[in-house]
Amino acid sequence: MFISRFRVNTARPGARRLLSSPQAMHAAVMSSFPHLLPSDTPQPDAPRVLWRLDQRARAEVLLYIVSPDRPDLTHLVEQAGWPAVAGPENPGWQTRPYAPLLDRLTAGDRWAFRLTANPVHTIRRKEGEPRKLTAHLTPIHQMGWLLDEERQERLGFRVCEKPADRRLLPEGTTHHKRPHPGDRYELAIRDTRSLSFDKSRGSGGRRDKPVTVVTVTFEGRLEVTDPDALRRALTQGIGRARAYGCGLLTLSPLTQPAQKIP
């Protein structure tokens, strides 16, 4: 497994086209692997290509890729990077083996994490109608999706709780008479976006209905409960819409002061 980072040159027209369409970005990412064909479907339990865009400032957008094989991002450098300054020593992106991090995961260890996900649930508007998949739209429900005990157990971690003396109220804040998870847990929502884009179908120019994906970027701290399950989450992704930049969980050492979420 490998993890790669590519800084997007937001001034280039090619970059703006990729950033405006998760479908186009997915195609560009998958083109980084010569042996993969567009028709290839990953096996359910196999490591897969995952990607995520992190926007730290208006002109600082980073593309992260986790993949079973080392990628060649030359085409991305040409379309959306700085090709004039790329060279053998600095091709325009960084790739490192992922195994050292995966191998050091141990139950009880704590890490800072970042995850962009597509929190969804099923609803039935009328009796007798089939259940419909829909996105969580409020922060309390989006956090609740990640904090679900069964989901965390399946993913091999639990989100850390804040010490009692750092909570606004002993039982946490309230929201419509319900506990608000944002004051109890080391968890924050950094970004929420609703992406709508066309998905081409076939070569005749026909198009499906526009695809809409609600993405939420979480940051916080977690404790490892099942290292093998967490390794699967890190290499297979979390939740839906993984082809559209969701599902990639990344970890970093806890180097920040205890009172801050990284």
Side-chain angles (χ1 to χ4, degrees), residues 16-51:
R16 294 195 290 270
R17 183 182 69 84
L18 293 174
L19 294 175
S20 68
S21 171
Q23 179 80 1
M25 182 63 81
H26 173 70
V29 169
M30 298 308 292
S31 296
S32 306
F33 305 94
H35 67 285
L36 287 181
L37 299 176
S39 58
D40 288 348
T41 301
Q43 296 298 316
D45 298 325
R48 57 186 296 165
V49 177
L50 304 168
W51 62 273

PDB file of all heavy atoms in Angstrom, residues 16-51:
ATOM      1  N   ARG A  16      -9.197  23.587 -12.301  1.00  0.00           N
ATOM      2  CA  ARG A  16     -10.560  24.029 -12.012  1.00  0.00           C
ATOM      3  C   ARG A  16     -11.580  23.035 -12.547  1.00  0.00           C
ATOM      4  O   ARG A  16     -12.628  22.797 -11.922  1.00  0.00           O
ATOM      5  CB  ARG A  16     -10.780  25.432 -12.582  1.00  0.00           C
ATOM      6  CG  ARG A  16      -9.929  26.493 -11.887  1.00  0.00           C
ATOM      7  CD  ARG A  16     -10.428  27.893 -12.213  1.00  0.00           C
ATOM      8  NE  ARG A  16     -10.163  28.252 -13.608  1.00  0.00           N
ATOM      9  CZ  ARG A  16      -9.047  28.844 -14.022  1.00  0.00           C
ATOM     10  NH1 ARG A  16      -8.079  29.136 -13.154  1.00  0.00           N
ATOM     11  NH2 ARG A  16      -8.896  29.156 -15.293  1.00  0.00           N
ATOM     12  N   ARG A  17     -11.297  22.447 -13.693  1.00  0.00           N
ATOM     13  CA  ARG A  17     -12.220  21.446 -14.243  1.00  0.00           C
ATOM     14  C   ARG A  17     -12.279  20.218 -13.339  1.00  0.00           C
ATOM     15  O   ARG A  17     -13.357  19.696 -13.048  1.00  0.00           O
ATOM     16  CB  ARG A  17     -11.776  21.035 -15.650  1.00  0.00           C
ATOM     17  CG  ARG A  17     -12.717  20.041 -16.329  1.00  0.00           C
ATOM     18  CD  ARG A  17     -12.196  19.646 -17.688  1.00  0.00           C
ATOM     19  NE  ARG A  17     -10.990  18.847 -17.588  1.00  0.00           N
ATOM     20  CZ  ARG A  17     -10.982  17.529 -17.389  1.00  0.00           C
ATOM     21  NH1 ARG A  17     -12.119  16.859 -17.238  1.00  0.00           N
ATOM     22  NH2 ARG A  17      -9.845  16.879 -17.328  1.00  0.00           N
ATOM     23  N   LEU A  18     -11.119  19.759 -12.862  1.00  0.00           N
ATOM     24  CA  LEU A  18     -11.098  18.589 -11.993  1.00  0.00           C
ATOM     25  C   LEU A  18     -11.766  18.871 -10.651  1.00  0.00           C
ATOM     26  O   LEU A  18     -12.504  18.031 -10.124  1.00  0.00           O
ATOM     27  CB  LEU A  18      -9.655  18.139 -11.769  1.00  0.00           C
ATOM     28  CG  LEU A  18      -8.920  17.578 -12.985  1.00  0.00           C
ATOM     29  CD1 LEU A  18      -7.457  17.317 -12.634  1.00  0.00           C
ATOM     30  CD2 LEU A  18      -9.580  16.307 -13.488  1.00  0.00           C
ATOM     31  N   LEU A  19     -11.523  20.056 -10.101  1.00  0.00           N
ATOM     32  CA  LEU A  19     -12.086  20.385  -8.792  1.00  0.00           C
ATOM     33  C   LEU A  19     -13.595  20.582  -8.849  1.00  0.00           C
ATOM     34  O   LEU A  19     -14.275  20.465  -7.834  1.00  0.00           O
ATOM     35  CB  LEU A  19     -11.415  21.642  -8.238  1.00  0.00           C
ATOM     36  CG  LEU A  19      -9.928  21.509  -7.900  1.00  0.00           C
ATOM     37  CD1 LEU A  19      -9.357  22.867  -7.488  1.00  0.00           C
ATOM     38  CD2 LEU A  19      -9.716  20.481  -6.793  1.00  0.00           C
ATOM     39  N   SER A  20     -14.115  20.879 -10.009  1.00  0.00           N
ATOM     40  CA  SER A  20     -15.555  21.118 -10.134  1.00  0.00           C
ATOM     41  C   SER A  20     -16.352  19.841 -10.321  1.00  0.00           C
ATOM     42  O   SER A  20     -17.581  19.869 -10.241  1.00  0.00           O
ATOM     43  CB  SER A  20     -15.834  22.066 -11.306  1.00  0.00           C
ATOM     44  OG  SER A  20     -15.521  21.439 -12.543  1.00  0.00           O
ATOM     45  N   SER A  21     -15.684  18.718 -10.560  1.00  0.00           N
ATOM     46  CA  SER A  21     -16.406  17.476 -10.846  1.00  0.00           C
ATOM     47  C   SER A  21     -15.731  16.279 -10.183  1.00  0.00           C
ATOM     48  O   SER A  21     -14.646  15.866 -10.620  1.00  0.00           O
ATOM     49  CB  SER A  21     -16.470  17.226 -12.361  1.00  0.00           C
ATOM     50  OG  SER A  21     -16.976  15.923 -12.635  1.00  0.00           O
ATOM     51  N   PRO A  22     -16.333  15.706  -9.154  1.00  0.00           N
ATOM     52  CA  PRO A  22     -15.769  14.478  -8.572  1.00  0.00           C
ATOM     53  C   PRO A  22     -15.647  13.349  -9.589  1.00  0.00           C
ATOM     54  O   PRO A  22     -14.752  12.508  -9.472  1.00  0.00           O
ATOM     55  CB  PRO A  22     -16.774  14.124  -7.468  1.00  0.00           C
ATOM     56  CG  PRO A  22     -17.438  15.411  -7.129  1.00  0.00           C
ATOM     57  CD  PRO A  22     -17.514  16.171  -8.423  1.00  0.00           C
ATOM     58  N   GLN A  23     -16.521  13.334 -10.582  1.00  0.00           N
ATOM     59  CA  GLN A  23     -16.444  12.309 -11.622  1.00  0.00           C
ATOM     60  C   GLN A  23     -15.155  12.457 -12.420  1.00  0.00           C
ATOM     61  O   GLN A  23     -14.447  11.488 -12.685  1.00  0.00           O
ATOM     62  CB  GLN A  23     -17.655  12.432 -12.544  1.00  0.00           C
ATOM     63  CG  GLN A  23     -17.679  11.438 -13.695  1.00  0.00           C
ATOM     64  CD  GLN A  23     -18.170  10.074 -13.281  1.00  0.00           C
ATOM     65  OE1 GLN A  23     -18.513   9.868 -12.109  1.00  0.00           O
ATOM     66  NE2 GLN A  23     -18.194   9.147 -14.207  1.00  0.00           N
ATOM     67  N   ALA A  24     -14.812  13.701 -12.797  1.00  0.00           N
ATOM     68  CA  ALA A  24     -13.581  13.942 -13.551  1.00  0.00           C
ATOM     69  C   ALA A  24     -12.356  13.663 -12.696  1.00  0.00           C
ATOM     70  O   ALA A  24     -11.366  13.089 -13.179  1.00  0.00           O
ATOM     71  CB  ALA A  24     -13.559  15.385 -14.065  1.00  0.00           C
ATOM     72  N   MET A  25     -12.387  14.045 -11.414  1.00  0.00           N
ATOM     73  CA  MET A  25     -11.241  13.783 -10.538  1.00  0.00           C
ATOM     74  C   MET A  25     -11.045  12.291 -10.333  1.00  0.00           C
ATOM     75  O   MET A  25      -9.910  11.791 -10.326  1.00  0.00           O
ATOM     76  CB  MET A  25     -11.427  14.487  -9.194  1.00  0.00           C
ATOM     77  CG  MET A  25     -10.252  14.309  -8.244  1.00  0.00           C
ATOM     78  SD  MET A  25      -8.705  15.045  -8.861  1.00  0.00           S
ATOM     79  CE  MET A  25      -8.982  16.771  -8.415  1.00  0.00           C
ATOM     80  N   HIS A  26     -12.139  11.560 -10.167  1.00  0.00           N
ATOM     81  CA  HIS A  26     -12.031  10.107 -10.004  1.00  0.00           C
ATOM     82  C   HIS A  26     -11.373   9.488 -11.233  1.00  0.00           C
ATOM     83  O   HIS A  26     -10.488   8.620 -11.101  1.00  0.00           O
ATOM     84  CB  HIS A  26     -13.419   9.505  -9.793  1.00  0.00           C
ATOM     85  CG  HIS A  26     -13.445   8.017  -9.785  1.00  0.00           C
ATOM     86  ND1 HIS A  26     -12.904   7.263  -8.762  1.00  0.00           N
ATOM     87  CD2 HIS A  26     -13.923   7.119 -10.688  1.00  0.00           C
ATOM     88  CE1 HIS A  26     -13.064   5.978  -9.023  1.00  0.00           C
ATOM     89  NE2 HIS A  26     -13.675   5.861 -10.184  1.00  0.00           N
ATOM     90  N   ALA A  27     -11.790   9.909 -12.426  1.00  0.00           N
ATOM     91  CA  ALA A  27     -11.195   9.371 -13.653  1.00  0.00           C
ATOM     92  C   ALA A  27      -9.707   9.691 -13.723  1.00  0.00           C
ATOM     93  O   ALA A  27      -8.893   8.846 -14.126  1.00  0.00           O
ATOM     94  CB  ALA A  27     -11.926   9.937 -14.869  1.00  0.00           C
ATOM     95  N   ALA A  28      -9.329  10.897 -13.310  1.00  0.00           N
ATOM     96  CA  ALA A  28      -7.917  11.281 -13.339  1.00  0.00           C
ATOM     97  C   ALA A  28      -7.110  10.457 -12.347  1.00  0.00           C
ATOM     98  O   ALA A  28      -5.982  10.039 -12.641  1.00  0.00           O
ATOM     99  CB  ALA A  28      -7.780  12.776 -13.042  1.00  0.00           C
ATOM    100  N   VAL A  29      -7.667  10.236 -11.158  1.00  0.00           N
ATOM    101  CA  VAL A  29      -6.965   9.421 -10.155  1.00  0.00           C
ATOM    102  C   VAL A  29      -6.778   7.999 -10.653  1.00  0.00           C
ATOM    103  O   VAL A  29      -5.687   7.422 -10.565  1.00  0.00           O
ATOM    104  CB  VAL A  29      -7.726   9.448  -8.819  1.00  0.00           C
ATOM    105  CG1 VAL A  29      -7.167   8.394  -7.863  1.00  0.00           C
ATOM    106  CG2 VAL A  29      -7.654  10.832  -8.184  1.00  0.00           C
ATOM    107  N   MET A  30      -7.823   7.411 -11.203  1.00  0.00           N
ATOM    108  CA  MET A  30      -7.737   6.020 -11.649  1.00  0.00           C
ATOM    109  C   MET A  30      -6.796   5.875 -12.845  1.00  0.00           C
ATOM    110  O   MET A  30      -6.215   4.807 -13.051  1.00  0.00           O
ATOM    111  CB  MET A  30      -9.128   5.495 -12.006  1.00  0.00           C
ATOM    112  CG  MET A  30     -10.096   5.475 -10.833  1.00  0.00           C
ATOM    113  SD  MET A  30      -9.467   4.628  -9.363  1.00  0.00           S
ATOM    114  CE  MET A  30      -9.427   2.936  -9.953  1.00  0.00           C
ATOM    115  N   SER A  31      -6.609   6.950 -13.607  1.00  0.00           N
ATOM    116  CA  SER A  31      -5.671   6.901 -14.734  1.00  0.00           C
ATOM    117  C   SER A  31      -4.221   6.888 -14.274  1.00  0.00           C
ATOM    118  O   SER A  31      -3.319   6.755 -15.097  1.00  0.00           O
ATOM    119  CB  SER A  31      -5.903   8.114 -15.657  1.00  0.00           C
ATOM    120  OG  SER A  31      -7.190   8.060 -16.242  1.00  0.00           O
ATOM    121  N   SER A  32      -3.999   7.016 -12.967  1.00  0.00           N
ATOM    122  CA  SER A  32      -2.637   6.976 -12.426  1.00  0.00           C
ATOM    123  C   SER A  32      -2.093   5.564 -12.306  1.00  0.00           C
ATOM    124  O   SER A  32      -0.935   5.379 -11.932  1.00  0.00           O
ATOM    125  CB  SER A  32      -2.618   7.635 -11.037  1.00  0.00           C
ATOM    126  OG  SER A  32      -3.158   8.936 -11.082  1.00  0.00           O
ATOM    127  N   PHE A  33      -2.913   4.563 -12.631  1.00  0.00           N
ATOM    128  CA  PHE A  33      -2.525   3.162 -12.462  1.00  0.00           C
ATOM    129  C   PHE A  33      -2.670   2.454 -13.808  1.00  0.00           C
ATOM    130  O   PHE A  33      -3.781   2.109 -14.231  1.00  0.00           O
ATOM    131  CB  PHE A  33      -3.396   2.501 -11.391  1.00  0.00           C
ATOM    132  CG  PHE A  33      -3.358   3.245 -10.079  1.00  0.00           C
ATOM    133  CD1 PHE A  33      -4.313   4.202  -9.784  1.00  0.00           C
ATOM    134  CD2 PHE A  33      -2.339   3.015  -9.163  1.00  0.00           C
ATOM    135  CE1 PHE A  33      -4.269   4.900  -8.588  1.00  0.00           C
ATOM    136  CE2 PHE A  33      -2.289   3.710  -7.972  1.00  0.00           C
ATOM    137  CZ  PHE A  33      -3.252   4.663  -7.682  1.00  0.00           C
ATOM    138  N   PRO A  34      -1.564   2.250 -14.527  1.00  0.00           N
ATOM    139  CA  PRO A  34      -1.630   1.748 -15.901  1.00  0.00           C
ATOM    140  C   PRO A  34      -2.348   0.411 -16.050  1.00  0.00           C
ATOM    141  O   PRO A  34      -2.971   0.164 -17.088  1.00  0.00           O
ATOM    142  CB  PRO A  34      -0.151   1.619 -16.294  1.00  0.00           C
ATOM    143  CG  PRO A  34       0.573   2.539 -15.378  1.00  0.00           C
ATOM    144  CD  PRO A  34      -0.194   2.536 -14.097  1.00  0.00           C
ATOM    145  N   HIS A  35      -2.277  -0.452 -15.028  1.00  0.00           N
ATOM    146  CA  HIS A  35      -2.848  -1.784 -15.167  1.00  0.00           C
ATOM    147  C   HIS A  35      -4.346  -1.824 -14.868  1.00  0.00           C
ATOM    148  O   HIS A  35      -5.003  -2.842 -15.100  1.00  0.00           O
ATOM    149  CB  HIS A  35      -2.142  -2.761 -14.218  1.00  0.00           C
ATOM    150  CG  HIS A  35      -2.397  -2.479 -12.777  1.00  0.00           C
ATOM    151  ND1 HIS A  35      -1.806  -1.427 -12.124  1.00  0.00           N
ATOM    152  CD2 HIS A  35      -3.210  -3.098 -11.870  1.00  0.00           C
ATOM    153  CE1 HIS A  35      -2.223  -1.408 -10.856  1.00  0.00           C
ATOM    154  NE2 HIS A  35      -3.070  -2.401 -10.687  1.00  0.00           N
ATOM    155  N   LEU A  36      -4.909  -0.716 -14.351  1.00  0.00           N
ATOM    156  CA  LEU A  36      -6.333  -0.686 -14.037  1.00  0.00           C
ATOM    157  C   LEU A  36      -7.128  -0.218 -15.247  1.00  0.00           C
ATOM    158  O   LEU A  36      -6.798   0.791 -15.875  1.00  0.00           O
ATOM    159  CB  LEU A  36      -6.610   0.248 -12.859  1.00  0.00           C
ATOM    160  CG  LEU A  36      -6.182  -0.230 -11.475  1.00  0.00           C
ATOM    161  CD1 LEU A  36      -6.567   0.810 -10.427  1.00  0.00           C
ATOM    162  CD2 LEU A  36      -6.837  -1.569 -11.128  1.00  0.00           C
ATOM    163  N   LEU A  37      -8.198  -0.937 -15.566  1.00  0.00           N
ATOM    164  CA  LEU A  37      -9.086  -0.547 -16.649  1.00  0.00           C
ATOM    165  C   LEU A  37     -10.328   0.117 -16.072  1.00  0.00           C
ATOM    166  O   LEU A  37     -10.727  -0.175 -14.941  1.00  0.00           O
ATOM    167  CB  LEU A  37      -9.486  -1.777 -17.473  1.00  0.00           C
ATOM    168  CG  LEU A  37      -8.334  -2.531 -18.148  1.00  0.00           C
ATOM    169  CD1 LEU A  37      -8.855  -3.784 -18.843  1.00  0.00           C
ATOM    170  CD2 LEU A  37      -7.617  -1.625 -19.142  1.00  0.00           C
ATOM    171  N   PRO A  38     -10.980   1.000 -16.840  1.00  0.00           N
ATOM    172  CA  PRO A  38     -12.177   1.681 -16.321  1.00  0.00           C
ATOM    173  C   PRO A  38     -13.270   0.720 -15.884  1.00  0.00           C
ATOM    174  O   PRO A  38     -14.079   1.032 -15.015  1.00  0.00           O
ATOM    175  CB  PRO A  38     -12.632   2.532 -17.510  1.00  0.00           C
ATOM    176  CG  PRO A  38     -11.402   2.748 -18.318  1.00  0.00           C
ATOM    177  CD  PRO A  38     -10.590   1.497 -18.164  1.00  0.00           C
ATOM    178  N   SER A  39     -13.298  -0.470 -16.491  1.00  0.00           N
ATOM    179  CA  SER A  39     -14.349  -1.431 -16.165  1.00  0.00           C
ATOM    180  C   SER A  39     -14.030  -2.266 -14.935  1.00  0.00           C
ATOM    181  O   SER A  39     -14.879  -3.031 -14.466  1.00  0.00           O
ATOM    182  CB  SER A  39     -14.596  -2.368 -17.354  1.00  0.00           C
ATOM    183  OG  SER A  39     -13.393  -3.036 -17.702  1.00  0.00           O
ATOM    184  N   ASP A  40     -12.816  -2.150 -14.400  1.00  0.00           N
ATOM    185  CA  ASP A  40     -12.432  -2.951 -13.242  1.00  0.00           C
ATOM    186  C   ASP A  40     -13.269  -2.576 -12.023  1.00  0.00           C
ATOM    187  O   ASP A  40     -13.479  -1.398 -11.731  1.00  0.00           O
ATOM    188  CB  ASP A  40     -10.950  -2.758 -12.918  1.00  0.00           C
ATOM    189  CG  ASP A  40     -10.040  -3.435 -13.933  1.00  0.00           C
ATOM    190  OD1 ASP A  40     -10.567  -4.220 -14.739  1.00  0.00           O
ATOM    191  OD2 ASP A  40      -8.826  -3.166 -13.927  1.00  0.00           O
ATOM    192  N   THR A  41     -13.740  -3.599 -11.315  1.00  0.00           N
ATOM    193  CA  THR A  41     -14.497  -3.397 -10.088  1.00  0.00           C
ATOM    194  C   THR A  41     -13.718  -4.010  -8.937  1.00  0.00           C
ATOM    195  O   THR A  41     -13.374  -5.195  -8.990  1.00  0.00           O
ATOM    196  CB  THR A  41     -15.888  -4.063 -10.174  1.00  0.00           C
ATOM    197  OG1 THR A  41     -16.599  -3.501 -11.288  1.00  0.00           O
ATOM    198  CG2 THR A  41     -16.681  -3.823  -8.896  1.00  0.00           C
ATOM    199  N   PRO A  42     -13.410  -3.242  -7.887  1.00  0.00           N
ATOM    200  CA  PRO A  42     -12.634  -3.800  -6.779  1.00  0.00           C
ATOM    201  C   PRO A  42     -13.388  -4.891  -6.050  1.00  0.00           C
ATOM    202  O   PRO A  42     -14.617  -4.850  -5.927  1.00  0.00           O
ATOM    203  CB  PRO A  42     -12.392  -2.587  -5.873  1.00  0.00           C
ATOM    204  CG  PRO A  42     -13.475  -1.623  -6.224  1.00  0.00           C
ATOM    205  CD  PRO A  42     -13.764  -1.841  -7.674  1.00  0.00           C
ATOM    206  N   GLN A  43     -12.665  -5.901  -5.585  1.00  0.00           N
ATOM    207  CA  GLN A  43     -13.278  -6.954  -4.786  1.00  0.00           C
ATOM    208  C   GLN A  43     -13.758  -6.377  -3.454  1.00  0.00           C
ATOM    209  O   GLN A  43     -13.160  -5.445  -2.924  1.00  0.00           O
ATOM    210  CB  GLN A  43     -12.269  -8.082  -4.539  1.00  0.00           C
ATOM    211  CG  GLN A  43     -11.831  -8.797  -5.806  1.00  0.00           C
ATOM    212  CD  GLN A  43     -12.986  -9.473  -6.521  1.00  0.00           C
ATOM    213  OE1 GLN A  43     -13.826 -10.117  -5.898  1.00  0.00           O
ATOM    214  NE2 GLN A  43     -13.049  -9.299  -7.829  1.00  0.00           N
ATOM    215  N   PRO A  44     -14.842  -6.934  -2.897  1.00  0.00           N
ATOM    216  CA  PRO A  44     -15.436  -6.340  -1.683  1.00  0.00           C
ATOM    217  C   PRO A  44     -14.466  -6.180  -0.525  1.00  0.00           C
ATOM    218  O   PRO A  44     -14.527  -5.186   0.193  1.00  0.00           O
ATOM    219  CB  PRO A  44     -16.559  -7.332  -1.344  1.00  0.00           C
ATOM    220  CG  PRO A  44     -16.902  -7.996  -2.633  1.00  0.00           C
ATOM    221  CD  PRO A  44     -15.615  -8.071  -3.396  1.00  0.00           C
ATOM    222  N   ASP A  45     -13.571  -7.144  -0.314  1.00  0.00           N
ATOM    223  CA  ASP A  45     -12.683  -7.116   0.846  1.00  0.00           C
ATOM    224  C   ASP A  45     -11.244  -6.791   0.494  1.00  0.00           C
ATOM    225  O   ASP A  45     -10.346  -6.991   1.308  1.00  0.00           O
ATOM    226  CB  ASP A  45     -12.737  -8.458   1.586  1.00  0.00           C
ATOM    227  CG  ASP A  45     -14.128  -8.753   2.126  1.00  0.00           C
ATOM    228  OD1 ASP A  45     -14.805  -7.785   2.534  1.00  0.00           O
ATOM    229  OD2 ASP A  45     -14.535  -9.924   2.138  1.00  0.00           O
ATOM    230  N   ALA A  46     -11.017  -6.278  -0.704  1.00  0.00           N
ATOM    231  CA  ALA A  46      -9.650  -5.992  -1.142  1.00  0.00           C
ATOM    232  C   ALA A  46      -9.331  -4.516  -0.966  1.00  0.00           C
ATOM    233  O   ALA A  46     -10.220  -3.665  -1.031  1.00  0.00           O
ATOM    234  CB  ALA A  46      -9.474  -6.392  -2.606  1.00  0.00           C
ATOM    235  N   PRO A  47      -8.049  -4.185  -0.746  1.00  0.00           N
ATOM    236  CA  PRO A  47      -7.664  -2.771  -0.745  1.00  0.00           C
ATOM    237  C   PRO A  47      -8.046  -2.116  -2.068  1.00  0.00           C
ATOM    238  O   PRO A  47      -8.015  -2.749  -3.119  1.00  0.00           O
ATOM    239  CB  PRO A  47      -6.146  -2.818  -0.562  1.00  0.00           C
ATOM    240  CG  PRO A  47      -5.880  -4.127   0.099  1.00  0.00           C
ATOM    241  CD  PRO A  47      -6.916  -5.071  -0.462  1.00  0.00           C
ATOM    242  N   ARG A  48      -8.404  -0.855  -2.008  1.00  0.00           N
ATOM    243  CA  ARG A  48      -8.851  -0.170  -3.216  1.00  0.00           C
ATOM    244  C   ARG A  48      -8.215   1.209  -3.285  1.00  0.00           C
ATOM    245  O   ARG A  48      -7.580   1.667  -2.339  1.00  0.00           O
ATOM    246  CB  ARG A  48     -10.374  -0.061  -3.236  1.00  0.00           C
ATOM    247  CG  ARG A  48     -10.959   0.649  -2.031  1.00  0.00           C
ATOM    248  CD  ARG A  48     -12.473   0.592  -2.055  1.00  0.00           C
ATOM    249  NE  ARG A  48     -13.017   1.299  -3.204  1.00  0.00           N
ATOM    250  CZ  ARG A  48     -14.281   1.165  -3.615  1.00  0.00           C
ATOM    251  NH1 ARG A  48     -15.092   0.328  -2.984  1.00  0.00           N
ATOM    252  NH2 ARG A  48     -14.732   1.833  -4.653  1.00  0.00           N
ATOM    253  N   VAL A  49      -8.382   1.869  -4.412  1.00  0.00           N
ATOM    254  CA  VAL A  49      -7.882   3.231  -4.581  1.00  0.00           C
ATOM    255  C   VAL A  49      -8.870   4.192  -3.919  1.00  0.00           C
ATOM    256  O   VAL A  49     -10.049   4.220  -4.269  1.00  0.00           O
ATOM    257  CB  VAL A  49      -7.705   3.575  -6.069  1.00  0.00           C
ATOM    258  CG1 VAL A  49      -7.248   5.029  -6.218  1.00  0.00           C
ATOM    259  CG2 VAL A  49      -6.705   2.636  -6.730  1.00  0.00           C
ATOM    260  N   LEU A  50      -8.375   4.957  -2.957  1.00  0.00           N
ATOM    261  CA  LEU A  50      -9.173   5.959  -2.269  1.00  0.00           C
ATOM    262  C   LEU A  50      -8.536   7.323  -2.476  1.00  0.00           C
ATOM    263  O   LEU A  50      -7.313   7.418  -2.585  1.00  0.00           O
ATOM    264  CB  LEU A  50      -9.243   5.660  -0.766  1.00  0.00           C
ATOM    265  CG  LEU A  50      -9.769   4.285  -0.361  1.00  0.00           C
ATOM    266  CD1 LEU A  50      -9.490   4.045   1.117  1.00  0.00           C
ATOM    267  CD2 LEU A  50     -11.260   4.171  -0.642  1.00  0.00           C
ATOM    268  N   TRP A  51      -9.354   8.370  -2.497  1.00  0.00           N
ATOM    269  CA  TRP A  51      -8.789   9.709  -2.649  1.00  0.00           C
ATOM    270  C   TRP A  51      -9.628  10.721  -1.880  1.00  0.00           C
ATOM    271  O   TRP A  51     -10.793  10.478  -1.571  1.00  0.00           O
ATOM    272  CB  TRP A  51      -8.650  10.107  -4.117  1.00  0.00           C
ATOM    273  CG  TRP A  51      -9.933  10.180  -4.904  1.00  0.00           C
ATOM    274  CD1 TRP A  51     -10.551   9.159  -5.560  1.00  0.00           C
ATOM    275  CD2 TRP A  51     -10.743  11.351  -5.119  1.00  0.00           C
ATOM    276  NE1 TRP A  51     -11.701   9.608  -6.167  1.00  0.00           N
ATOM    277  CE2 TRP A  51     -11.837  10.944  -5.919  1.00  0.00           C
ATOM    278  CE3 TRP A  51     -10.647  12.679  -4.729  1.00  0.00           C
ATOM    279  CZ2 TRP A  51     -12.830  11.834  -6.329  1.00  0.00           C
ATOM    280  CZ3 TRP A  51     -11.638  13.567  -5.129  1.00  0.00           C
ATOM    281  CH2 TRP A  51     -12.701  13.144  -5.924  1.00  0.00           C
TER     282      TRP A  51
END
